[in-house]
Amino acid sequence: MEATTSLLDAAAVGDLVLLDPLTEESLLRTLQERFRRSDIYTYIGNVVISVNPYRSLPIYTPEKVQEYHNCNFFAVKPHIYAIADDAYRSLRDRDRDQCILITGESGAGKTEASKLVMSYVAAVCSKGEEVDKVKEQLLQSNPVLEAFGNAKTVRNDNSSRFGKYMDVEFDFKGEPLGGVISNYLLEKSRIVRHVKGERNFHIFYQLLAGGSVQQLQQLKLRQDCRHYGYLNRESSGLPGMDDAANFHAVQDAMRIIGFSPAEVTALLEVTAVVLKLGNVQLSSSYQASGMEACSIAEPQELQEICELIGLDPGRLEQALCSRTVKARDETVLTTLSVPQGYYGRDALAKNIYSRLFDWLVNRINASIQVKPGKQRKVMGVLDIYGFEIFQDNGFEQFIINYCNEKLQQIFILMTLKEEQEEYVREGIQWTPVEFFDNSIICNLIENSKCGILAMLDEECLRPGVVNEDTFLTKLNQLFATHKHYESKETQNARRVMDTSLPPQCFRIHHYAGKVTYNVTGFIEKNNDLLFRDLSQAMWAARHTLLRSLFPEGDPQKVSLKLPPTAGFQFKASVATLMKNLYAKNPNYIRCIKPNETKTAMLFTPELVLAQIRYLGLMENVRVRRAGYAFRQLYGPFLERYKMLSPRTWPRWAGSDRDGAEVLLAELAFPPEELAFGHTKIFIRSPRTLFDLERQRQERVVQLATLIQKTFRGWRCRTHYQQMRKSQIIISAWFRGHMQKNKYKQMKRSALIIQAHMRGWKVRKAYRRYFRAGASARLANFIYRRLVQKFLVSLGRNLPPLVVTDRTWPPAPYKFLADANQELRSIFYHWKCKKYREQLTPQRRALLQAKLCASELFKDKKTLYSKSLQQPFQGEYLGLTQNPKYQKLHAVAKDKLVMADTVRKVNRASGKTVPRLLLLTTEHLVLADPKAAQPKTVLSLGDIRSVSVTRFSDGFLALHLKETSTGGAKGDFLLVSDHLIELITRLHQTLMDTTAQALPLHITDQFSTRFQKGNVAVTVVESAKAGSKVPVCKKRGSHKMEVLVH
C-alpha cells in the first residue's frame, strides 16, 4: 500500500506517466519535490529516473535488497533495485535476454548506478563457492577499469572517460557464469593534456601515492606528482579520495580477477613508461642543409624509459626525432621539427595507453569469460557517456553525441515497440503515436556515402593539402539545405545573422538541443596517426607486454595500407552495440545531475530542465501515455479497489476480470476512459485514476472507522468477560481458602481438647495409684543416672596427656555445663602438674628462666620474639676447657651463673671495646679478654637499675649506686649478643640473693651518671647503624646518641 500511495501521490507522483497536467513545469516540479523528500528515483512506466544526491542515503542496505527481491515492479517504491530485480527475474524465469541502458551526462551518477545494478544481481543470486568466485570477479572488474579509465573532471570526481558495455552471462538457474566487457572510445587525448582543475587518469596518481618506495624505484618514478608534465606538474590532492588506499584496492582486485604478479608488474611498467614520456624534452637544431631538426634535450628520462622496456636508447631517440618515409621501393629518412617531435611523442603515449587499456579489458575478459558450449542467458549493462554540450565542442563530443543519438533512436523505437506489443497482447486497438524520429540526424552523421563521418574519412584519405577548412567547405556544400545542419556559410546563404556561430564551426540540431562543433583537430584525431618508426621501435623492445601491443611494428608484416580511422572504428562499434541491444529486452536508467557544484541535496531547476529536454523525458512520457496512461493486472487492481463496491467487498467469488468490470460499472466512469484487456485493465487519463484513488482513500477512512469501532467493542467485551471470569475464579478460590482455614482451626481445637482430656485422665489415674513425692524421687534418680553416665563416658574419652592439647569433650546436657568446665580446668592443672614432675632440674631451671624473660620483655622489646627459639646456655666462654680463663673463675669464688663476651662503651668517645662478663651469685665481673685479668668487680648489691631500648638491639645501661666502690667512674654502657638471657639471669640472681626484683627500664631516653657528670642518652633507630652493634656518638659533654638498627 505504501508503494502504491507513493506512486499516486498527487504532489509528487512516483510514476510520471500519471502526471496531470503533463508539462515541463509540472514534471520539473515533481522531480524537485521528490528530490526534496530524498526520493531520488522516479518512474516513467518501467524507466527509472535517478537524480544524483551527492551523498550517501540509507536505501542500499541488505534489508532493502530483500524488500525488492522477487517483488512486483510497481508494488514497491521507485528504486534502482526494482528495475534490476525485474530484469533479472525476466532473464531467469522468462528466458529473455536483458540489457540495462544507463545514460546521463558526466556527474549524473551513471557509474554508481551500474555498480548498484551489479551488486544487487550479485546479492540475489544463489550462493556457492564457484558462484561466489564468479560474482567477486565480475564486481572486482569495476575498480580496475575505473583506475585506468576514469578521471576527475570539472563536473565529476570519478568521471568515466570511456564507454563500457558488460554482458553478464547466466546459466538456466540464474547463476552467473561469467561475462564479457566491451569498451568504447577511451578519451586518450586526456593522457597528454587536460584543463586546469581536472586530473589525468586515476591510475597515475594512485601509483605514485600507493606504490612502495622499492616499487617506485623499480619503476624509476618519483612520488611527487609535480615532477611529471602529463600531470600538468600539479599536486594530486583530491578531497574525499584516498589514492593510496585505492591503489591497494586495485591490486587486490587484479589478484582476485586472476592477474599473475608478473602481469601486474608489466602493466605498471608500461603505465610508468607513459607517465615518463611526458618528461622527454626536445631541443631545436639545424642541419648543414639548413633544415630544422630536433634532438633529445635531457637523455636521462629517455635512458630510464629504455631500461624499463629493454630497448636501445639510440633506437628510441631516432624514432622520436626522425621519420622514415617509404614510397614504392625507396626509403627516405627525414628529420622532424620540434613540434612534429612533440606530436610523435604524444601520439606514442596516447597509443601505448589506449592499447594497454584494450589489453586490460581483454585480460579481464579472459578471466571472466564463459567456456564455450554452455547454454547461457545474457544481461547487458551499458554505462556510456551522456550527451555533452560544452563551450568548446570537438571531435570527442561529436562522436559521443552521435552515440547518444543512436541510443535515443533505439530507446524510442523499442519503447514504442514494447507499447505496441502490449496493446496487441491485451487485444486493445493500437493508436499510432506521433514522435520526433531522430533517424534523420543519425543518417546525417553516419550515412556511408554522404554522412559527416564518411566525408571526414574521405577528407583524411584525399591526397594533397588536407585541412579542416576543406572539410568544412565540403560539409557546407553537401548539407546546405539540411534542416538539422547549419554553419556560418549556410546561414549567410539563408540570410540569417547569428553571432553565436564562429566561422570554423558547424552546428547540428540534435534531439537534445543544438550543439556547435569546432572542426579544429577533427582530421588529426580521426586519423589517429602513429609514425611507423615508433611502432617498430616498440615492437623491438624486449618488454613482452609492450611488444604485444604493437603487432604492426613487426618488419616482416609491414603494410602500406592505412589503418582505419577513429570515426570508422567507432561507427562500427556503435553498429555492433546497437545490434546487440536490439536482440535484448531493454531496461532504462536515466541519470540526472541536480547541480554543477556537486553539493549534497541541491537542486538547480535550470540545469535539470536542460537535461530533461535532451534526455527526451517529456517525449518518453508522451509515448507511454499514448492511448492509456495506466494499466494493471486485474488481480492487484481488484484487490486494491474492491472496497468501493458492496458487490465486490469484502470478497469476490468470480474471476478477477469480472470483478473489475462489476466494480467499474458501479463507479460509473465514462466508457471511453476504460479498456479491458485479456489480463489488464487500462485507464486512459490520470485524472480518472486519481478520482479512483480519492474514492478509495475516503472508503479506507470509513472502513478504518468501522474497524476501530468493531475493535473497541470487541476489546470491551473481551475485557468484561475476562474480568467476570477472573472474579468467579477469585471467589471460588477465596471460599475454598476460607473453608480450609475453618477446617484447620476446628481440627486444631479438637486436638487441644483431646490433649487436655487425656492429660486430665492420666493425672486422675496417677493421683489414685502413686504417692505425692514420687515425682521428686524420680527426678533425682534420673539426674543421678545422667551424671553417672556422663562421668563414665568422660573417663573413657579423656584427651591425651599432652600439655599443649586443650581439647575437651562437650557437656551432653546443659545442666552439666558448669561441672564440665570445672572438670576441664582440674584435668588441665593436673596434667600440667604431672608434666612438671617429669622435668629434670636443668630443664625446670631453663623454663623458669624463659618464663621470667617473658614477664620482663614480652610485648615490650622487639628482640624478645627473636630470642624465643634460642636456648639459654649460661656459659658461652668455655671456662673449664680454656686454661687461660681458669684464673678468672678463681677470682669469682662463688657460684658462676653466666659467662659471655660483651662490648663496653667508652664513656668519653662512645667507642666500644670487648670485655668478658662473668655473673655469679654475688658479683658481676668485667675482664680484659686478652690478658684474662679482671678490670671491674661489682657486687650485685651495687646495681641500682638497668635500662634497655625497645628495639631489637643488645644495648643496655647498668646504673650503679653512688656508694658503689666499683663504680667510681659511673654507670656502665654495654652491648651484649645475649641481652635477654643476661638481664633475665641478673634478675633471677638478685631475687635469689636479695629477694628484690631488678629495676628494669625499657625506654628510648634515659640518664646515666658518669664521673664528669650526668649524660642524657637518646636511642635512635636508624638504617646507618650496623646490623648488630649499636653506634654510640657523643653530642657534647652531656649528650650521647645511640644509633640502633
Side-chain angles (χ1 to χ4, degrees):
M1 182 181 292
E2 179 191 351
T4 309
T5 303
S6 172
L7 289 175
L8 299 176
D9 184 353
V13 291
D15 191 343
L16 297 179
V17 173
L18 305 177
L19 198 59
D20 192 26
L22 176 60
T23 62
E24 280 189 346
E25 291 73 18
S26 63
L27 192 150
L28 178 65
R29 188 168 55 251
T30 300
L31 289 179
Q32 186 170 8
E33 176 62 21
R34 290 184 61 79
F35 187 74
R36 186 186 63 79
R37 300 178 184 183
S38 295
D39 291 330
I40 64 171
Y41 296 111
T42 309
Y43 291 152
I44 300 178
N46 58 357
V47 176
V48 175
I49 301 172
S50 170
V51 185
N52 194 343
Y54 288 115
R55 70 180 177 93
S56 298
L57 294 176
I59 57 175
Y60 306 108
T61 60
E63 292 76 18
K64 283 290 181 184
V65 172
Q66 291 304 315
E67 179 182 341
Y68 284 86
H69 183 39
N70 287 334
C71 279
N72 183 280
F73 187 83
F74 296 103
V76 285
K77 290 180 68 175
H79 200 290
I80 196 170
Y81 285 170
I83 194 171
D85 186 73
D86 188 57
Y88 176 69
R89 286 191 293 116
S90 296
L91 175 138
R92 183 191 62 191
D93 302 335
R94 284 175 269 178
D95 202 19
R96 297 172 62 188
D97 288 351
Q98 304 289 317
C99 64
I100 298 178
L101 281 68
I102 305 171
T103 57
E105 72 171 59
S106 179
K110 301 186 297 299
T111 301
E112 286 302 314
S114 66
K115 289 182 188 176
L116 290 171
V117 169
M118 293 299 298
S119 64
Y120 177 84
V121 173
V124 299
C125 289
S126 58
K127 310 299 180 188
E129 184 176 349
E130 189 62 30
V131 174
D132 289 343
K133 179 182 176 183
V134 172
K135 290 193 293 187
E136 191 67 17
Q137 287 183 335
L138 291 172
L139 293 176
Q140 290 302 324
S141 65
N142 278 325
V144 178
L145 293 178
E146 282 185 16
F148 285 86
N150 288 24
K152 178 193 181 301
T153 65
V154 292
R155 297 185 172 188
N156 186 2
D157 288 346
N158 188 32
S159 176
S160 297
R161 306 318 299 162
F162 71 105
K164 182 180 74 171
Y165 177 74
M166 175 185 280
D167 266 336
V168 184
E169 301 180 343
F170 300 82
D171 63 8
F172 69 97
K173 296 179 292 185
E175 295 178 356
L177 299 172
V180 178
I181 299 172
S182 303
N183 65 298
Y184 302 95
L185 194 65
L186 177 72
E187 188 192 13
K188 55 186 177 182
S189 61
R190 181 170 292 271
I191 291 292
V192 298
R193 83 181 53 83
H194 54 274
V195 300
K196 190 173 181 62
E198 295 190 354
R199 298 206 314 177
N200 211 318
F201 291 104
H202 291 325
I203 186 62
F204 298 121
Y205 305 95
Q206 293 174 0
L207 175 60
L208 297 179
S212 63
V213 176
Q214 181 182 1
Q215 192 174 32
L216 293 178
Q217 287 177 350
Q218 291 175 349
L219 298 176
K220 305 187 184 305
L221 294 175
R222 299 185 190 178
Q223 200 167 24
D224 188 4
C225 294
R226 291 171 293 188
H227 177 67
Y228 298 99
Y230 282 165
L231 304 185
N232 282 0
R233 303 194 184 277
E234 295 174 346
S235 61
S236 64
L238 186 58
M241 185 174 290
D242 188 345
D243 287 321
N246 289 340
F247 181 67
H248 298 311
V250 169
Q251 288 184 309
D252 292 339
M254 287 194 287
R255 177 180 51 78
I256 292 172
I257 293 171
F259 281 71
S260 67
E263 288 176 321
V264 174
T265 302
L267 181 67
L268 296 179
E269 285 174 348
V270 176
T271 306
V273 166
V274 173
L275 192 57
K276 293 178 73 62
L277 272 173
N279 286 2
V280 174
Q281 299 298 317
L282 303 176
S283 61
S284 178
S285 62
Y286 290 91
Q287 295 180 326
S289 61
M291 293 184 63
E292 184 183 0
C294 67
S295 60
I296 303 299
E298 180 57 52
Q300 178 64 29
E301 290 286 352
L302 191 71
Q303 180 71 30
E304 292 179 352
I305 291 173
C306 291
E307 289 178 9
L308 279 174
I309 63 176
L311 181 65
D312 178 34
R315 177 73 180 272
L316 183 56
E317 181 176 4
Q318 181 182 355
L320 287 171
C321 299
S322 61
R323 179 184 179 188
T324 302
V325 180
K326 290 188 177 182
R328 297 184 181 275
D329 297 330
E330 295 184 15
T331 302
V332 179
L333 182 66
T334 62
T335 59
L336 301 177
S337 63
V338 171
Q340 290 173 333
Y342 279 129
Y343 171 83
R345 180 200 69 174
D346 292 345
L348 177 61
K350 290 189 291 184
N351 270 272
I352 291 176
Y353 194 83
S354 175
R355 298 180 189 206
L356 178 67
F357 189 76
D358 292 339
W359 175 88
L360 181 65
V361 172
N362 292 332
R363 177 61 185 83
I364 294 174
N365 285 338
S367 293
I368 65 176
Q369 68 184 2
V370 184
K371 297 177 181 177
K374 287 192 176 182
Q375 184 181 1
R376 64 196 73 167
K377 307 173 184 180
V378 178
M379 177 188 289
V381 180
L382 178 64
D383 172 14
I384 201 161
Y385 4 68
F387 203 89
E388 293 189 348
I389 307 176
F390 297 145
Q391 194 72 27
D392 183 21
N393 301 287
F395 180 73
E396 290 86 357
Q397 283 68 46
F398 176 73
I399 291 294
I400 288 171
N401 293 343
Y402 160 61
C403 180
N404 278 272
E405 283 287 355
K406 295 295 289 183
L407 290 175
Q408 177 69 7
Q409 185 182 36
I410 192 175
F411 173 70
I412 294 295
L413 292 178
M414 296 191 76
T415 303
L416 286 173
K417 179 183 175 184
E418 183 182 353
E419 285 287 298
Q420 185 175 5
E421 285 178 352
E422 183 172 21
Y423 276 57
V424 172
R425 190 167 56 246
E426 292 294 327
I428 295 175
Q429 184 178 358
W430 167 252
T431 304
V433 181
E434 292 184 5
F435 64 95
F436 171 66
D437 185 0
N438 70 335
S439 59
I440 186 173
I441 303 175
C442 296
N443 191 56
L444 169 68
I445 298 172
E446 69 180 2
N447 189 286
S448 59
K449 292 184 178 180
C450 57
I452 294 177
L453 286 176
M455 293 301 101
L456 183 60
D457 288 349
E458 182 180 312
E459 197 67 16
C460 291
L461 297 174
R462 185 170 64 82
V465 178
V466 178
N467 54 44
E468 284 79 7
D469 293 334
T470 59
F471 167 61
L472 185 58
T473 302
K474 184 174 290 188
L475 292 184
N476 293 334
Q477 293 171 355
L478 241 132
F479 307 118
T481 59
H482 201 290
K483 62 179 181 179
H484 291 279
Y485 173 90
E486 61 180 341
S487 67
K488 199 70 176 175
E489 185 176 329
T490 60
Q491 285 183 347
N492 292 337
R494 297 171 192 166
R495 292 180 175 81
V496 176
M497 294 298 294
D498 185 0
T499 57
S500 64
L501 186 59
Q504 288 291 316
C505 300
F506 66 91
R507 182 179 292 158
I508 295 180
H509 296 203
H510 289 282
Y511 78 94
K514 299 178 181 179
V515 183
T516 303
Y517 298 102
N518 191 330
V519 296
T520 304
F522 262 55
I523 292 177
E524 175 190 326
K525 293 176 180 177
N526 189 50
N527 269 327
D528 196 20
L529 185 62
L530 179 67
F531 298 149
R532 186 179 294 110
D533 301 73
L534 293 171
S535 298
Q536 292 177 348
M538 295 299 100
W539 192 86
R542 292 191 297 275
H543 195 281
T544 308
L545 174 57
L546 184 63
R547 182 188 178 102
S548 68
L549 300 180
F550 292 88
E552 76 276 12
D554 186 355
Q556 305 298 325
K557 300 178 182 179
V558 173
S559 173
L560 296 179
K561 183 180 178 182
L562 287 174
T565 62
F568 178 83
Q569 294 180 53
F570 189 71
K571 178 183 172 183
S573 299
V574 169
T576 305
L577 176 63
M578 295 301 115
K579 182 179 178 182
N580 199 345
L581 296 180
Y582 273 118
K584 296 180 174 63
N585 182 55
N587 302 270
Y588 300 96
I589 300 173
R590 303 294 214 180
C591 298
I592 291 179
K593 181 169 67 172
N595 61 77
E596 290 283 9
T597 58
K598 295 174 279 192
T599 305
M601 302 310 291
L602 174 64
F603 193 93
T604 307
E606 299 79 11
L607 177 65
V608 175
L609 182 59
Q611 295 173 78
I612 288 173
R613 287 171 178 165
Y614 72 64
L615 284 174
L617 298 188
M618 285 292 294
E619 200 151 52
N620 189 1
V621 177
R622 291 192 185 102
V623 170
R624 287 290 303 185
R625 285 173 60 147
Y628 298 92
F630 179 79
R631 72 286 314 266
Q632 193 174 21
L633 293 171
Y634 288 120
F637 179 82
L638 183 63
E639 185 66 28
R640 182 166 181 80
Y641 298 108
K642 64 182 179 180
M643 75 279 295
L644 299 180
S645 170
R647 295 180 62 185
T648 56
W649 178 259
R651 57 179 60 86
W652 172 255
S655 67
D656 292 337
R657 174 169 179 166
D658 293 341
E661 290 178 349
V662 169
L663 170 66
L664 292 171
E666 289 201 2
L667 294 176
F669 285 115
E672 63 271 12
E673 283 291 312
L674 306 173
F676 296 93
H678 297 311
T679 62
K680 292 181 181 179
I681 173 69
F682 288 76
I683 298 176
R684 184 175 298 278
S685 67
R687 189 174 288 104
T688 303
L689 182 64
F690 284 126
D691 186 41
L692 193 64
E693 187 65 22
R694 179 186 55 77
Q695 294 184 47
R696 179 185 179 277
Q697 290 177 354
E698 292 173 356
R699 180 59 177 156
V700 165
V701 172
Q702 296 172 3
L703 291 176
T705 304
L706 177 63
I707 292 171
Q708 290 173 353
K709 179 179 68 175
T710 306
F711 174 74
R712 290 193 189 103
W714 170 82
R715 188 172 61 180
C716 290
R717 284 193 300 275
T718 305
H719 183 61
Y720 166 75
Q721 290 170 355
Q722 287 179 341
M723 290 181 64
R724 183 173 180 273
K725 184 178 179 181
S726 301
Q727 189 270 334
I728 292 172
I729 293 174
I730 291 171
S731 299
W733 278 91
F734 180 74
R735 285 194 295 271
H737 174 73
M738 290 293 292
Q739 291 300 322
K740 287 177 185 177
N741 286 346
K742 186 176 181 181
Y743 167 75
K744 290 178 182 177
Q745 187 173 3
M746 291 176 64
K747 182 179 179 181
R748 189 162 52 249
S749 301
L751 291 174
I752 292 173
I753 292 171
Q754 289 174 0
H756 277 82
M757 187 62 190
R758 283 193 293 268
W760 174 78
K761 289 174 69 176
V762 169
R763 283 193 299 275
K764 183 178 179 181
Y766 171 78
R767 284 194 300 270
R768 184 176 178 182
Y769 293 108
F770 293 94
R771 297 193 299 269
S775 60
R777 291 195 176 190
L778 282 173
N780 289 335
F781 173 77
I782 293 171
Y783 178 78
R784 287 195 298 273
R785 184 72 184 92
L786 291 175
V787 170
Q788 181 184 7
K789 183 178 178 183
F790 164 65
L791 293 175
V792 171
S793 174
L794 187 62
R796 293 173 181 169
N797 298 309
L798 287 175
L801 297 178
V802 180
V803 181
T804 56
D805 188 357
R806 303 296 293 268
T807 60
W808 187 256
Y813 305 104
K814 191 174 181 179
F815 71 90
L816 294 173
D818 294 340
N820 187 57
Q821 193 64 29
E822 190 65 28
L823 288 172
R824 177 183 181 183
S825 177
I826 294 171
F827 179 77
Y828 183 73
H829 282 86
W830 174 80
K831 187 163 56 172
C832 292
K833 178 175 177 297
K834 296 294 287 182
Y835 174 75
R836 290 195 300 273
E837 289 174 353
Q838 296 173 1
L839 294 174
T840 61
Q842 295 81 6
R843 180 66 176 167
R844 184 188 297 272
L846 179 62
L847 291 177
Q848 286 177 345
K850 285 286 186 179
L851 180 61
C852 181
S854 173
E855 294 172 352
L856 291 174
F857 296 105
K858 187 176 181 181
D859 299 330
K860 299 176 184 178
K861 185 170 177 64
T862 309
L863 185 63
Y864 172 72
S865 60
K866 298 179 181 180
S867 69
L868 289 176
Q869 303 300 325
Q870 299 174 358
F872 290 174
Q873 297 181 12
E875 209 279 291
Y876 292 94
L877 298 179
L879 295 178
T880 55
Q881 291 83 10
N882 194 338
K884 183 178 178 181
Y885 293 156
Q886 288 182 357
K887 55 185 177 180
L888 283 176
H889 188 59
V891 172
K893 298 179 180 180
D894 42 356
K895 182 180 177 183
L896 182 67
V897 177
M898 183 175 178
D900 193 11
T901 301
V902 298
R903 300 187 68 82
K904 174 178 171 294
V905 179
N906 188 288
R907 297 180 180 87
S909 63
K911 295 181 179 180
T912 59
V913 293
R915 289 287 185 268
L916 301 178
L917 183 144
L918 277 70
L919 176 63
T920 65
T921 54
E922 295 181 1
H923 296 88
L924 190 144
V925 180
L926 293 174
D928 185 0
K930 294 181 180 179
Q933 293 293 329
K935 288 286 188 179
T936 305
V937 179
L938 298 175
S939 173
L940 296 184
D942 294 339
I943 299 174
R944 176 166 56 88
S945 64
V946 175
S947 295
V948 298
T949 72
R950 58 186 176 87
F951 305 112
S952 58
D953 58 279
F955 183 78
L956 74 149
L958 284 176
H959 302 287
L960 304 180
K961 297 178 180 178
E962 294 183 2
T963 58
S964 171
T965 56
K969 293 183 179 181
D971 298 340
F972 287 93
L973 301 179
L974 304 176
V975 178
S976 173
D977 293 337
H978 304 91
L979 175 72
I980 302 297
E981 182 180 357
L982 174 60
I983 294 178
T984 300
R985 292 193 181 278
L986 181 60
H987 174 79
Q988 286 181 324
T989 305
L990 280 174
M991 286 291 292
D992 292 341
T993 55
T994 64
Q996 293 181 355
L998 173 68
L1000 177 64
H1001 305 289
I1002 301 176
T1003 178
D1004 296 344
Q1005 294 181 347
F1006 52 86
S1007 176
T1008 59
R1009 182 181 59 81
F1010 289 168
Q1011 188 174 8
K1012 295 182 180 181
N1014 291 340
V1015 175
V1017 178
T1018 301
V1019 182
V1020 179
E1021 187 176 24
S1022 172
K1024 295 180 180 180
S1027 59
K1028 292 185 178 180
V1029 181
V1031 179
C1032 302
K1033 295 182 179 180
K1034 287 295 292 291
R1035 304 293 187 190
S1037 57
H1038 296 286
K1039 288 184 180 180
M1040 178 178 288
E1041 188 178 82
V1042 180
L1043 302 178
V1044 299
H1045 185 66

